[in-house]
């Protein structure tokens, strides 16, 4: 049961960044998006991945690992589309 | 050691939403922010809080509980400031 809730939680927190990535990609506008949020979030989910590894907790490792990749993708889009 | 990494991870993922909340509050603009992201994120961190409770994992409970409150705050700001 914990595993199912953990996997569901991970799916939601992982896919959360996807609509933001699509929106930025489509509009090519990131003015109202906080770069600090995605920087801090990337550090945070990276640390959650380490935490999961130390506790040998598979849902935490997989979902936060994917989150890390998606948040880095959004950071790249912010750098690419921000007003110079 | 796991506890320290978990608390650090939680602090980062928790404070991540704060700069986005301040930015939205200051500029009163949320056009480029994805409401879907914050909706899905709120569901996700709520489920992580439940997961933490089931596993009796204090860092997961506290940090995701605060994250839930902050993401709801951002959702309210998105509804308040979005263009009609």
């Amino acid at each position: 049961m914990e595993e199912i809730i953990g996997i569901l939680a991970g799916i939601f927190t992982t896919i959360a960044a996807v609509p933001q990535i699509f929106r930025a990609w489509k509009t090519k506008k990131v003015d109202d998006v906080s770069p600090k949020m995605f920087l801090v979030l990337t550090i945070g989910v990276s640390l959650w991945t380490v935490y999961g590894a130390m506790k040998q907790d598979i849902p935490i490792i997989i979902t936060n690992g994917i989150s890390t990749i998606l948040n880095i993708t959004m950071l790249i889009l912010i750098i690419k589309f921000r007003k110079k």
Side-chain angles (χ1 to χ4, degrees), chain A:
Chain A
M1 184 60 181
E2 288 97 340
E3 295 285 292
I4 295 164
I5 301 281
I7 289 164
L8 271 179
I11 289 170
F12 275 91
T13 46
T14 301
I15 63 171
V18 174
Q20 181 64 73
I21 289 169
F22 276 119
R23 193 184 188 101
W25 184 259
K26 215 174 84 181
T27 64
K28 303 197 187 317
K29 283 187 72 186
V30 292
D31 300 352
D32 308 331
V33 177
S34 167
K36 270 183 216 149
M37 173 173 171
F38 284 91
L39 182 64
V40 175
L41 209 51
T42 301
I43 297 167
V45 290
S46 305
L47 287 173
W48 274 128
T49 311
V50 174
Y51 178 76
M54 291 171 94
K55 287 212 150 190
Q56 299 187 304
D57 189 314
I58 300 295
I60 294 181
I61 296 168
I62 294 174
T63 57
N64 286 287
I66 296 169
S67 285
T68 304
I69 295 163
L70 287 171
N71 281 302
I72 289 171
T73 305
M74 186 57 203
L75 270 180
I76 292 168
L77 289 180
I78 291 171
I79 293 164
K80 187 175 162 69
F81 293 137
R82 70 179 169 180
K83 290 210 179 104
K84 299 298 179 301

